């Protein structure tokens, strides 16, 4: 006959926070082993992709982690993915280039006006 099992803590309902797994002990008895909830991995703020190199843990545990485990050593480390950071850098570079080109064109225009 199958051995009956009872919850040892919390309440007797099969909820997300009261998850259990049936295991067999070395003595041959069946018991409940309490499982932790699956956590969401941190996502990129721009595109929503999972951030690599950062563990998927509860916010309380995340606060206890060391700084190098909470973020990646890069600009926008634990906030944006590598593609979005690259996109931001390229965009900023192109904006600066555009300003320089405008300034050069303006200087040439004034130079041409003075010749006439």
């Amino acid at each position: 006959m199958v051995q009956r099992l009872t919850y040892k803590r919390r309440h007797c309902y099969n909820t997300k926070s009261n998850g259990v797994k049936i295991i067999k002990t070395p003595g041959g008895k069946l018991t409940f082993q309490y499982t932790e909830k699956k956590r969401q991995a941190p996502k990129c703020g721009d595109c929503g992709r999972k951030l690599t190199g950062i563990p998927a843990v509860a916010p309380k545990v995340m606060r206890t982690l060391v700084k190098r485990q909470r973020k990646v050593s890069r600009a926008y480390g634990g906030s944006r993915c590598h593609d979005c950071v690259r996109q931001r850098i390229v965009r900023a570079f192109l904006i600066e280039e555009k300003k320089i080109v405008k300034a050069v064109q303006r200087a040439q225009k004034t130079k041409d006006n003075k010749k006439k």
Side-chain angles (χ1 to χ4, degrees):
M1 192 169 152
V2 179
Q3 184 180 350
R4 286 176 184 250
L5 297 172
T6 55
Y7 288 101
K8 298 294 177 196
R9 47 174 135 129
R10 292 249 173 140
H11 40 70
C12 60
Y13 305 109
N14 185 21
T15 59
K16 281 195 292 184
S17 61
N18 202 27
V20 290
K21 180 170 72 171
I22 298 172
I23 58 153
K24 189 176 273 189
T25 62
K29 284 173 55 179
L30 293 177
T31 59
F32 276 146
Q33 185 177 44
Y34 283 89
T35 57
E36 284 190 6
K37 292 204 285 189
K38 292 242 192 254
R39 302 301 178 167
Q40 288 253 323
K43 306 270 191 311
C44 172
D46 289 348
C47 64
R49 193 190 321 183
K50 285 182 186 175
L51 295 178
T52 55
I54 301 171
V57 292
K60 189 176 181 181
V61 179
M62 185 67 90
R63 284 193 296 271
T64 63
L65 294 178
V66 202
K67 192 174 185 179
R68 66 179 170 75
Q69 292 173 324
R70 280 183 307 216
K71 59 187 242 117
V72 182
S73 56
R74 175 178 64 232
Y76 297 99
S79 168
R80 305 286 185 261
C81 69
H82 66 283
D83 282 336
C84 293
V85 173
R86 184 172 187 274
Q87 206 173 33
R88 281 171 182 235
I89 292 169
V90 169
R91 190 186 303 131
F93 175 75
L94 291 175
I95 289 170
E96 289 301 315
E97 285 289 306
K98 188 176 172 185
K99 286 179 186 174
I100 292 168
V101 168
K102 273 187 178 178
V104 168
Q105 286 176 342
R106 207 177 302 121
Q108 280 201 333
K109 193 181 266 187
T110 55
K111 190 177 179 184
D112 289 343
N113 287 343
K114 285 183 180 178
K115 278 188 179 179
K116 289 181 181 180

